[in-house]
Amino acid sequence: MLFREKKWSAKAVLLQKMQQHSFCTSQPCDRFDLSRKIILSLFGITLLCLTLVLLDVHLRTPGNHEEQIIQAINLSNLSIVPSGRPLRHPEGVIPSVNLKFSPSLGSIMINAEYLLLNPPQYSKSYSIP
Amino acid sequence: MERVQCVNVSLIISLSGHAEKSIIHRVKAEFNAGQMSLITGVTGAGKSTLLHILAGIIRPTEGEVIVDDQKVSRWMAYHRDRWRKKVGIIFQQPHLLNDLTVFENVCLPLIPQKMPMQTIRKKAFHALDCLGLSHMVGERVTALSGGERQQISIARAIVSGPELILADEPTAHQDMENVTRLMDVFEHHKRKNTVVIVASHDPRIVESRRFNACFNIENGTLEKVQ
Amino acid sequence: MRFASPTWLWAARDMLRHPSEAILTALALISVIVVAAVPMLLSHGLSNTAQRLLDSGPSLVVRKLAAGHWLPMPVEDGVKAAESVTGVLSAVPRIWGVVGGPESVTTVMGVSESDVQTLKRFSDLTKSPARGEAFIGPGVLSASSNGDKVEELLLLNGQKELSVKVGKIFSGKNSMVVHDIILLHESDARKLLGLEKGFSSDLAIHVFHEQEADAIIPDLLDAFPWPVAITTKQDTLKIYTASGDRRAGLIYLALIPSLLGLALIVTAGYRGTRSRFYEAGLLKSLGWTSQDIVGFFMCKAALIAFPSVSLGITLAYALVYWPAVSWPAYLFFGWQNNPPGLYLNSSGSFGILIQVSAGILVPYLAANLWPAIKNATADPHVLLQAEGKM
């Protein structure tokens, strides 16, 4: 009983001393609290980033308007490439004219857009057919 | 831990060419729990090396360090790690990490001990308080004097409650008050059945008459004088 | 302190000892991840989305061919010939062409009466283009936004000049399909393109089974009484995929510096951990086991690497899949101004992100693990002797 009381009083003195010192004062005696905050922040960032990406991958639903437009007007190409380029209108490339074009080579060819945008007199453009 | 024994412990190092030098020569000694032992000797006699061998930092080339009938000096690296966990060592140089605070330096041995951070903080504070250093917990060690730095390294050595305390010139740069306080701390640990071995040639320690056994080391050979 | 073990706390505390090193490493890792992931995601997203969208389009396009030029397709004969082939579901004549628009070249499509009925099904289209009226894509007029400038007149230059009133601007969400497309009344389109009644630009052919599209090409060639050129959906898709890949390949040039960056990060990580032998020796002397030391170094490496990689992949993902992202069209598809916003399909992209992350994380963590093991297994006495040599 006496031993337990002695132990308790020693603990109380230590706690009192700890409180008197920098644990509770403005100057910290260690930076473990800051370290803990850094770990939590980094963990949070990691979790947030992964969650955002995963959620977006799984919840993103492509709208069907685009498909309906394609279906309605029988589009065979997308508007990713500007109009007038063979990559945009592969069906418009005349097979007998070698434009050095192939799907695997890409667009090493006459720059149709440049010709169309910078003719000597910009009055008419070519059209297919 | 009951006792630490040195049985014909030798350390021979290779010099340039084929030359060799014997640092520790066939040391035989026994250090018992609950006792405080002093190893004296002139500078370069091999005190620090012997302490490093006992701490498991250096492996002897011959002989054994036996702890409770176990040859710890022959243990493989993994087990020697476990042995070092039981040892608190005070180096001749304080070996503190300069960009940390006093408190953080003292916390170092407790970090891998799988205890809550609050417990680590309590233990570190207690160790510093024992040595009257609680007022400098938040100081950077670069701002401290040599004596203060040595005191911090003493606090760091005792913070984990080691079963074997090895102190190499612990009173260097200390005033008499601190020497007395330090000896009290060692006494306290001795009473808790810790093996305390101090290597020093400080007359204030040698004449303190607080040791149960005194050894003198000369040219690597240890001799019991008391 | 319950949220993190002391080893993790110590690793974070150690980062604070060398904050600039940690920040630089994190930034380098983020950059390398972004540079590596963006081309892969872009290529994947483009081919995925093109596949999904073009699935709704015709399987084959048939054009009448003469020596060195195209000819208008006689609608009646063409449709009859196409529909005589087994496997053809329908053959729809298309009226379209490329004309000079108000700002750049645009694609004009004539909408027939049957198309109008289909178009009317869309909620945002309450009427079809009337004579003298145009429904335009969001990219035809760069200054326009949805619903604005509907009264503006467009001057189009084809075989003839035509002035039409803007009746509707498609939503930006449809950019990938109609960005620079102008829908006109069939008669206006014919007039503009110089296409007489009874003729069309080509025939869009739908087949019963998509997989059989290639197989019926010889029959189709035989069925038409004049020479024709046939383009399949798969050809078009190959163009998109190959084009996307080829362009993404250009970004891979950026991988060379990024690989060098990764090599530097790995070397810095290796040297950074290796140069800590004095501290490792001290920690071992103070009772840290080899396992504790390796754990500490790996915790520190993980604290830097995992958030950096997560940030990097999120940034790369956002760069490619952010709705209406327009930089790929501007940078890789030759748009001079007002590029279309891409709405790419992101399914399957997480696997790519995992691959890229692993490709960066594994060498980085290995570069930290190896010296950590070397430090941890060395004799503490040897390590301590390195004091001052750091």
Side-chain angles (χ1 to χ4, degrees), chain A residues 47-76:
Chain A
L47 207 65
L48 182 73
C49 289
L50 294 178
T51 310
L52 278 177
V53 172
L54 265 175
L55 276 180
D56 192 78
V57 169
H58 284 101
L59 298 183
R60 181 182 286 225
T61 47
N64 58 355
H65 265 199
E66 291 155 312
E67 279 111 315
Q68 285 175 329
I69 294 174
I70 287 178
Q71 210 174 352
I73 55 179
N74 284 299
L75 267 180
S76 53

Side-chain angles (χ1 to χ4, degrees), chain A residues 27 29, chain B residues 94-106 128 131-156 172-174 178:
Chain A
Q27 193 196 347
C29 58
Chain B
H95 282 304
L96 301 174
L97 296 179
N98 287 335
D99 44 359
L100 299 180
T101 62
V102 165
F103 192 75
E104 287 166 338
N105 267 290
V106 175
L128 284 164
L131 289 156
L133 303 170
S134 52
H135 60 283
M136 56 173 70
V137 282
E139 303 265 349
R140 295 228 162 227
V141 290
T142 43
L144 304 179
S145 68
E148 285 170 327
R149 288 165 68 91
Q150 186 64 305
Q151 282 182 299
I152 307 302
S153 78
I154 294 164
R156 187 181 61 187
H173 315 294
Q174 308 287 335
N178 281 334

Side-chain angles (χ1 to χ4, degrees), chain B residues 150-224:
Chain B
Q150 186 64 305
Q151 282 182 299
I152 307 302
S153 78
I154 294 164
R156 187 181 61 187
I158 62 170
V159 70
S160 55
E163 293 177 41
L164 168 63
I165 293 175
L166 299 166
D168 192 0
E169 302 289 0
T171 54
H173 315 294
Q174 308 287 335
D175 58 24
M176 196 55 212
E177 190 189 339
N178 281 334
V179 171
T180 309
R181 196 200 307 254
L182 176 60
M183 294 310 292
D184 288 343
V185 169
F186 286 158
E187 284 271 2
H188 172 76
H189 279 84
K190 185 184 93 173
R191 280 197 294 275
K192 283 167 46 181
N193 233 19
T194 305
V195 180
V196 181
I197 304 170
V198 180
S200 174
H201 61 271
D202 184 345
R204 293 174 297 180
I205 281 201
V206 176
E207 290 161 13
S208 67
R209 298 182 182 282
R210 297 224 209 174
F211 293 94
N212 304 94
C214 287
F215 298 87
N216 184 51
I217 190 165
E218 199 173 331
N219 292 328
T221 307
L222 192 75
E223 194 182 330
K224 189 167 184 178

